[in-house]
């Protein structure tokens, strides 16, 4: 049984004229550009969260074992339980609807408009579940330990980044591999996928770069990101770990530098912004950027100029964040909980 706790934030109010103007100018065309995934289309029809922290409420739902990823099917949330080899379906009110067995160490989830896809990082495969939680397909991603870490639904296909397989694959919705691209560098390299509605963007963890990929997963451009004065190339666990597109620019979280970078579509660095210790996940709510800081047990909210406009406490070790139907959901790996921030 999930227990819910409810309390209201009382942070100081941020009402910046520039932010309000920016929100007013968000157009449906902009939303259509970033709304390539079905759950993002649903979000686009929702209003962004209030810009005032005083208007937001935080809910905590406990009893979700080892949550590592979140997706949304338009009605319910799905949470990957990486330590339990299961996926949990949860209502928007935090009520558990079902728990379903999947492969070894599920690390990423994606909804294709009909079914839910699960990346099994410990098995080198992806599973497909129907909305009843029934397993309807398991598809190998390479041979052996390839560790798929990210899934993306893009233009009718499932894209899979494999951190130890050093590939990005495009699957059709029957699980057949259509294209495979080798990603340069030492593993773990390919780590997180996002789309701007046209291109697919890949964060390559060990290489401290992002790749822009074409429709056949070919590498179009490569841009450095998150580099420091002494980038620790010897450590494969440091580098860009997540990214999101806001309809105009790309935002990239780099864990060991404790910041997010904003880049335009030409790879030009527009700014770097501190967000707390060890950011692990990033989301866009239609007006602002949200970043989960793993070591600080908080999420930081930025306007599109990179200015901090809010900070919210979460459970321990927030590791995944999604903007879903007018709310922000965070998976807290360290204390088996979910946090929901809503107006």
């Amino acid at each position: 049984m999930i227990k819910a706790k409810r309390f209201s934030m009382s942070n100081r109010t941020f009402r910046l004229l520039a932010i309000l103007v920016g929100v007013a100018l968000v157009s449906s065309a902009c939303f259509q550009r970033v709304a390539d995934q079905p759950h993002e289309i649903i979000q686009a029809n929702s209003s962004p969260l209030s810009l005032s922290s005083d208007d937001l409420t935080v809910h905590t739902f406990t009893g979700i074992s080892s949550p590592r990823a979140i997706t949304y099917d338009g009605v319910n949330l799905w949470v990957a339980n990486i330590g339990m080899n299961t996926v949990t379906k949860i209502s928007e009110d935090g009520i558990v609807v079902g728990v379903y067995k999947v492969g070894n160490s599920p690390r990423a989830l994606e909804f294709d408009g009909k079914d839910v896809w699960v990346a099994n990082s410990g098995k080198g495969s992806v599973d497909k579940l129907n909305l009843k939680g029934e397993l309807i397909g398991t598809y190998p991603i390479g041979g052996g330990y390839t560790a798929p870490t990210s899934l993306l639904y893009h233009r009718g296909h499932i894209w899979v980044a494999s951190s130890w397989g050093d590939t990005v694959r495009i699957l059709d919705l029957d699980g057949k591999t259509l294209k495979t691209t080798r990603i340069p560098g030492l593993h773990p390299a390919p780590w997180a996928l996002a789309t701007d509605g046209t291109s697919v963007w890949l964060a390559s963890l060990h290489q401290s770069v992002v790749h822009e990929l074409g429709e056949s997963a070919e590498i179009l451009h490569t841009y450095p990101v998150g580099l420091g004065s002494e980038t620790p190339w010897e450590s494969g666990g440091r580098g860009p770990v997540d990214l999101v597109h806001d309809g105009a620019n790309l935002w990239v979280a780099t864990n060991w530098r404790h910041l997010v970078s904003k880049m335009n579509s030409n790879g030009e660095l527009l700014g770097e912004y501190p967000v707390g210790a060890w950011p692990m996940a990033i989301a866009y709510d239609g007006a602002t950027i949200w970043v989960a800081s793993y070591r600080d047990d908080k999420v930081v909210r930025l306007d599109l100029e990179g200015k901090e406009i809010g900070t919210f406490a979460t459970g321990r070790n927030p590791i995944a964040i999604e903007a879903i139907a007018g709310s922000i959901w965070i998976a807290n790996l360290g204390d088996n909980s979910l946090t929901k921030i809503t107006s």
Side-chain angles (χ1 to χ4, degrees):
M1 173 71 68
I2 292 181
K3 297 168 60 180
K5 300 180 241 181
R6 179 176 178 140
F7 56 96
S8 296
M9 299 300 295
S10 59
N11 295 1
R12 59 195 177 98
T13 303
F14 298 89
R15 296 189 183 278
L16 302 175
L17 179 59
I19 302 173
L20 294 174
V21 171
V23 173
L25 293 177
V26 173
S27 68
S28 61
C30 173
F31 276 128
Q32 288 171 3
R33 186 181 181 197
V34 298
D36 189 68
Q37 301 180 53
H39 65 269
E40 291 178 343
I41 294 171
I42 296 164
Q43 294 165 31
N45 293 326
S46 302
S47 299
L49 276 73
S50 170
L51 294 175
S52 171
S53 297
D54 291 336
D55 294 336
L56 301 182
T57 302
V58 177
H59 309 259
T60 300
F61 304 100
T62 60
I64 308 296
S65 296
S66 57
R68 182 60 183 86
I70 304 170
T71 195
Y72 181 59
D73 66 12
V75 178
N76 296 301
L77 288 80
W78 297 71
V79 181
N81 311 119
I82 192 168
M84 302 300 291
N85 301 334
T86 59
V87 171
T88 301
K89 182 165 65 170
I90 300 171
S91 74
E92 291 186 39
D93 295 325
I95 298 171
V96 171
V97 178
V99 179
Y100 313 106
K101 191 73 174 176
V102 293
N104 188 8
S105 302
R107 192 190 178 285
L109 299 170
E110 186 62 300
F111 178 59
D112 68 8
K114 179 183 177 184
D115 300 309
V116 174
W117 295 73
V118 186
N120 302 311
S121 62
K123 188 178 180 182
S125 68
V126 295
D127 289 337
K128 182 168 68 169
L129 308 179
N130 63 23
L131 293 187
K132 295 180 180 179
E134 298 167 337
L135 180 65
I136 54 177
T138 297
Y139 314 104
I141 303 300
Y145 180 70
T146 56
T149 55
S150 183
L151 299 173
L152 175 70
Y153 178 74
H154 178 65
R155 295 190 170 184
H157 299 100
I158 294 293
W159 293 55
V160 186
S162 298
S163 62
W164 283 74
D166 297 324
T167 62
V168 170
R169 291 171 180 257
I170 302 177
L171 310 184
D172 66 18
L173 297 187
D174 293 321
K176 180 181 178 181
T177 297
L178 303 177
K179 301 285 184 180
T180 301
T181 296
R182 296 288 301 178
I183 303 302
L186 299 174
H187 48 250
W191 196 256
L193 295 163
T195 182
D196 60 15
T198 302
S199 296
V200 169
W201 296 82
L202 170 70
S204 190
L205 175 64
H206 189 59
Q207 302 306 301
S208 292
V209 299
V210 294
H211 300 291
E212 182 183 5
L213 306 179
E215 63 180 16
S216 296
E218 73 277 17
I219 297 175
L220 300 177
H221 301 99
T222 298
Y223 305 110
V225 66
L227 297 174
S229 57
E230 297 181 2
T231 300
W233 298 102
E234 72 281 358
S235 175
R238 300 183 178 192
V241 290
D242 201 12
L243 68 175
V244 71
H245 205 277
D246 68 8
N249 298 302
L250 187 70
W251 296 75
V252 186
T254 298
N255 55 13
W256 72 281
R257 290 199 62 208
H258 319 301
L259 56 76
V260 296
S261 304
K262 182 170 70 168
M263 306 168 63
N264 65 22
S265 58
N266 295 319
E268 178 185 0
L269 181 65
L270 303 178
E272 293 183 331
Y273 313 104
V275 289
W278 214 259
M280 283 296 293
I282 188 167
Y284 174 60
D285 70 358
T288 57
I289 300 295
W290 296 76
V291 185
S293 296
Y294 185 81
R295 291 182 179 173
D296 281 346
D297 302 334
K298 69 179 183 180
V299 294
V300 177
R301 191 182 191 188
L302 307 177
D303 67 18
L304 296 185
E305 298 302 317
K307 182 174 182 179
E308 182 179 311
I309 59 171
T311 300
F312 301 84
T314 64
R316 195 164 69 249
N317 305 137
I319 199 166
I321 187 167
E322 294 286 343
I324 293 173
S327 298
I328 297 295
W329 286 82
I330 303 106
N332 305 305
L333 185 63
D335 64 3
N336 301 320
S337 70
L338 300 177
T339 299
K340 179 184 181 182
I341 302 172
T342 193
S343 298

